[in-house]
Amino acid sequence: MVGVDFDLFMERYGYKILFGLFGLVILTIIGVLALSVYTALRFYGLFAGGLLLLLGAVYAFTVKRRVLDAQAQAHAKYFYDDRRR
């Protein structure tokens, strides 16, 4: 019985498999984002849905970013000890 060498298999097909999986993950993320935009526009209409999405994006890139940054700094103070030993 002829066995397939794992190193040879990974050399020939490993990067293609990893590229396919990575592409599938990226397409899933973009698909969920596009589906949520489509649903918001369909449910609320073009004007109200677009305004809701615009306000959500502005909120995410201003207020939410600052909140997450403050949380990260607080966790860094709590979990990271920068004193010399």
Side-chain angles (χ1 to χ4, degrees), residues 15-17 23 34 39 43-45 50 54 69-70 73 75 84-85:
Y15 290 112
K16 294 174 187 172
I17 292 171
T39 304
F43 187 70
Y44 293 112
L54 181 66
D69 189 43
Q73 288 178 1
H75 285 291
R84 291 226 179 237
R85 294 180 186 221

Side-chain angles (χ1 to χ4, degrees), residues 1-78:
M1 189 162 145
V2 178
V4 177
D5 187 18
F6 182 72
D7 292 332
L8 179 62
F9 173 78
M10 288 304 290
E11 184 178 327
R12 290 188 72 180
Y13 302 110
Y15 290 112
K16 294 174 187 172
I17 292 171
L18 287 176
F19 181 72
L21 289 174
F22 184 70
L24 186 65
V25 168
I26 295 296
L27 285 175
T28 302
I29 292 170
I30 291 172
V32 167
L33 182 63
L35 184 64
S36 64
V37 168
Y38 173 75
T39 304
L41 291 176
R42 176 94 184 215
F43 187 70
Y44 293 112
L46 186 61
F47 180 72
L51 189 61
L52 183 69
L53 290 172
L54 181 66
L55 289 175
V58 168
Y59 175 78
F61 286 112
T62 56
V63 177
K64 194 65 174 173
R65 192 185 119 250
R66 290 181 185 168
V67 169
L68 290 175
D69 189 43
Q71 286 177 347
Q73 288 178 1
H75 285 291
K77 279 185 181 179
Y78 183 75

